[in-house]
């Protein structure tokens, strides 16, 4: 994961906790109200504190994210007794240059 310098102590701590955890479980809200979790690889924690992921624009999760922008990410590294849960609001960027 690309970990950029953070502007707050809390975001710095978040970066330290998740830097070595490759996969997050993304939980979204389905149209019928059910929660749906699936794994995603975290690509970056940018200098603004945003976590970056990439997925296919045709993925069902895109529809869920378009409809309900609030999500939870869960990170787990049991060997170090490290567990992190982050909630936030998503933004979908459809930028091929950024994806590259």
């Amino acid at each position: 994961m690309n970990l950029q310098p953070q502007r707050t102590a809390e975001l710095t701590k978040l970066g330290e906790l998740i830097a070595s955890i490759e996969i997050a479980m993304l939980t979204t809200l389905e149209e019928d109200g059910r929660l749906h979790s699936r794994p995603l690889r975290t690509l970056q924690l940018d200098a603004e504190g945003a976590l970056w992921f990439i997925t296919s624009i045709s993925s069902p999760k895109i529809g869920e994210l378009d409809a309900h922008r609030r999500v939870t990410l869960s990170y787990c590294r049991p060997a170090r007794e490290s567990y992190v849960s982050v909630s936030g609001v998503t933004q979908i960027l459809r930028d091929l240059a950024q994806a590259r």
Side-chain angles (χ1 to χ4, degrees):
M1 176 178 71
N2 176 3
L3 179 59
Q4 297 182 357
Q6 298 302 305
R7 63 180 190 264
T8 68
E10 292 84 5
L11 288 171
T12 299
K13 181 66 173 177
L14 173 64
E16 291 169 359
L17 289 169
I18 68 172
S20 63
I21 304 173
E22 292 184 37
I23 304 297
M25 292 298 291
L26 169 71
T27 302
T28 58
L29 185 64
E30 292 184 2
E31 189 173 303
D32 63 4
R34 290 184 296 154
L35 297 174
H36 184 187
S37 297
R38 81 280 280 155
L40 277 179
R41 182 179 307 274
T42 307
L43 299 177
Q44 178 177 328
L45 176 58
D46 72 15
E48 299 300 314
L51 291 162
W52 286 78
F53 305 87
I54 192 167
T55 192
S56 170
I57 199 68
S58 62
S59 169
K61 71 180 136 294
I62 296 297
E64 294 168 16
L65 295 172
D66 273 338
H68 306 281
R69 296 182 52 216
R70 298 204 53 83
V71 299
T72 296
L73 293 164
S74 300
Y75 294 87
C76 176
R77 181 162 226 152
R80 289 190 177 166
E81 296 185 6
S82 181
Y83 307 93
V84 180
S85 179
V86 181
S87 296
V89 178
T90 63
Q91 178 181 8
I92 298 170
L93 300 177
R94 293 167 173 92
D95 183 334
L96 189 56
Q98 180 72 21
R100 287 189 184 128

